[in-house]
Amino acid sequence: MSDLHRPDIPPSSTVATATRQVASTGPLRPGVRKREAWAWAMYDFANSGYTTVVITAVFNAYFVSVVAGGAPWATFAWTAALSLSYALILLSAPLLGAWADTHAGKKRLLAWTTLGCVLGTVGLALAGPGAVALALAFVVLSNFCFGSGENLIAAFLPELAEPDSLGQVSGWGWGLGYVGGLLSLGACLGYITWAQANGQGAAHFVPICMLITAALFALASLPTFLLLRERATPQPQSTESAWSRVLATLRQAGRYRDMRRFMLCIVFYQAGIQAVIALAAIYAEQAMGFSTADTIQLIFLVNITAALGALAFGRWQDRIGHARAIALTLVGWIVMVLLAWSAQGPTPFWIAANIAGLCLGASQSAARALVGYLAPESRHGEFFGLWGLAVKLSSILGPLTYGAVSWLSGGDHRLAILATGSYFVIGLALLAGVNAERGRRAALGG
């Protein structure tokens, strides 16, 4: 398909696109070497182990059963700590992004957030039975630093990839990220198997898993800091502060109306995604009767299919347009929810899990690419900060909705996942009003 007929590139950019094709024969901008793009993608590889091991698979259950001793309030305390960290990210993300744009300091901030997440994960290793306050404090610290770093690394994307290859390069990162999550989870599960065979309990092997996760994060992120360049230049520093830049963006929301609508769309459909990420294991056990071993296999499967979805979908989304690509993944999410809700046996649920994995990698990659496509050149950090704000708001909204419906319905997890699926429908309706061509023209003019 020619650039002239692609739905996400305005006709006015045709000459510019042709010029870029003379200067660059691949998806990367002129002057960007492949090893630098690899170093950027390696950060997704590095940080994915944190969410897979700490948030999804290992430490959450350890906190409830061992640290809090299975107390009735344990699950609420865990979700409250996560919600607090997401709220802090929500409040700080636009400000950090605006500061990074003003001072050309994305890489400096990324170094600090990486250090904070690594040290916070090490701190979790100190949380033994009864150390509830200590565990919650390090969960808030580590998850806040993780989320802030996720926004900062995403803001490098438009500096590395050509505008018509944002999806492809974004897919490299998401794909490597799922591989990194599998590596960390596999290393931890290998150690757990060995420890249990030698008669050691969770109070021993879970802290070691935290150290393994922190070490892999630190080591795998080194290529990012050694090879990735900060190409942004400091913006003029008059009396304008980070707060004033954010307020200016909000005041000019009408000018970037497609970005504004897409951010609202992200809040809703990401609420559904975040609920699936946080509660898939609970649904598998409570509604489908899966064993712990079955659930671990499910997590591995979702990560593998998510990696395939991110890598395979990246190039394709650049051809059909980012908005249309996201729409297709939202249809896939709706199909997944209906399959999981209606599944009475394991086979339909495993099919739903495969669909969830493919849609997870594809939708996350496509969203990051579209934000980069709609963001003005001088405000990448700020707009990716707003993207992070939307995602973190959804991280509070989605799981809380699932929990509230489950609680009010007397533990009906099928009704809870069906209610959560409504967020995908709302997101699809909002996405229909996003015009990528118009949004790109506004970004080029800003």
Side-chain angles (χ1 to χ4, degrees), residues 10 12-13 255-256 373-377 439-446:
S12 61
S13 68
R255 182 179 181 184
Y256 304 112
Y373 193 72
L374 298 178
E377 288 288 337
R440 181 61 177 172
R441 285 195 295 269
L444 291 174

Side-chain angles (χ1 to χ4, degrees), residues 318-331:
D318 288 321
R319 294 184 177 183
I320 68 172
H322 306 304
R324 189 177 298 172
I326 295 171
L328 289 175
T329 65
L330 293 184
V331 172

Side-chain angles (χ1 to χ4, degrees), residues 271 396-406 416 419-420 422-423:
I396 299 172
L397 180 63
L400 283 181
T401 299
Y402 184 104
V405 173
S406 176
T420 303
S422 65
Y423 285 127

